[in-house]
Amino acid sequence: MGMWASLDAMWEMPAEKRIFGAVLLFSWTVYLWETFLAQRQRRIYKTTTHVPLELGQIMDSETFEKSRLYQLDKSTFSFWSGLYSEIEGTLILLFGGIPYLWRLSGRFCGYAGFGPEYEITQSLVFLLLATLFSALTGLPWSLYNTFVIEEKHGFNQQTLGFFMKDAVKKFIVTQCILLPVSSLLLYIIKIGGDYFFIYAWLFTLVVSLVLVTIYADYIAPLFDKFTPLPEGKLKQEIEVMAKSIDFPLTKVYVVEGSKRSSHSNAYFYGFFKNKRIVLFDTLLEEYSVLNKAILEESGMEARKDGEGDSEEIKANVKNKKQGCKNEEVLAVLGHELGHWKLGHTVKNIIISQMNSFLCFFLFAVLIGRKELFSAFGFYNSQPTLIGLLIIFQFIFSPYNETYVCYPRGTEGWS
């Protein structure tokens, strides 16, 4: 009887209260479920102290132990950062952080001579303040992750000055993209009429394709140095592998990732017949800046023929060297190219755009519901940007969780 009475009481509450309560309840339910799964995985990290039989031929005990301890530290960090994020989000909702920031944005606009009728201008100020708040509150966690966890396990290569300069640059570049795109999207929604959701979807599709096209050529070089992979055996083998699956390779680049981290990666980009491959220098044993530093420290840079070097020094350098041999690089790259060959990239784009269209359509259906705005503290106004935030982030959260869990795009497709 008590449970049913509670349910009856909940349904008797105003619609906006029910919406707000449901959003908070779902958010904490997802958080607790994901925390349970993470803690279950953490127990595996703690109890599995020996190399599994399946990996015995390809991984030594020292490497396995390093990986295990790294994952333990990462899981601890993830727990506390996740808890903080959930509490922060809850407090923002409970204490009206979103309507407060909207009013603050309006005051800033008023100081500049823009009244309430300049909703898009106020929306851009809101976005600027919101992303600034997010950057500042996330900074301590990012610093700890980089200079404590990554440093402890030998992955971090950044200085504090480089880190801060990089963070400021990322924030500025983000604003240069976010604010113009957001202003155009809001304008399209405002003037689009009954079918604005189609125009908004098409606009976001074009923007996403443009960003994918220009990212590696114009945005990424703002942060990292890209150089063509020198002629040699590795480049020839990459070209042969690309040709064997009819991958339209035009260029192969090496990006200087070693100035940030010793983690490795590889990816490809481009449309149609203009595909390019990017390899992190930390992936390449014979190219890594880190390996050159190791050689210099060992006194071997000037004696590449190995004469006069003790076996102990050679073994030390071999154990310290970063990166993969050519056949290992090809294996990593083969995994990435396999996604292209099997059509995962195209499938991912199609599914993502179907999802995007559905979300904009449902947004068009729900944007006129005043109770959605009232649930989050907007009683006298219904700003378009706030509607996007409420509906896409909160109202769609159950659907978003289902969509995120659906196997799409990469390993989920076979």
Side-chain angles (χ1 to χ4, degrees), residues 294-295 298 300 312-321:
I294 292 171
L295 288 170
S298 304
M300 296 181 66
E312 182 180 353
I313 292 178
K314 290 180 181 178
N316 185 44
V317 171
K318 182 178 180 180
N319 290 333
K320 286 184 177 180
K321 285 185 77 173

Side-chain angles (χ1 to χ4, degrees), residues 46-101:
K46 293 182 71 173
T47 57
T48 308
T49 56
H50 301 286
V51 181
L53 293 176
E54 297 83 355
L55 301 177
Q57 300 298 318
I58 59 176
M59 179 177 289
D60 58 68
S61 297
E62 182 182 0
T63 302
F64 178 80
E65 182 65 8
K66 287 180 179 179
S67 177
R68 187 181 74 87
L69 294 176
Y70 177 63
Q71 292 300 331
L72 275 173
D73 283 348
K74 292 288 285 185
S75 66
T76 301
F77 173 81
S78 179
F79 170 79
W80 289 110
S81 62
L83 178 62
Y84 168 81
S85 178
E86 189 65 24
I87 292 175
E88 178 192 72
T90 300
L91 292 177
I92 288 173
L93 291 179
L94 288 175
F95 291 97
I98 298 175
Y100 170 78
L101 193 61

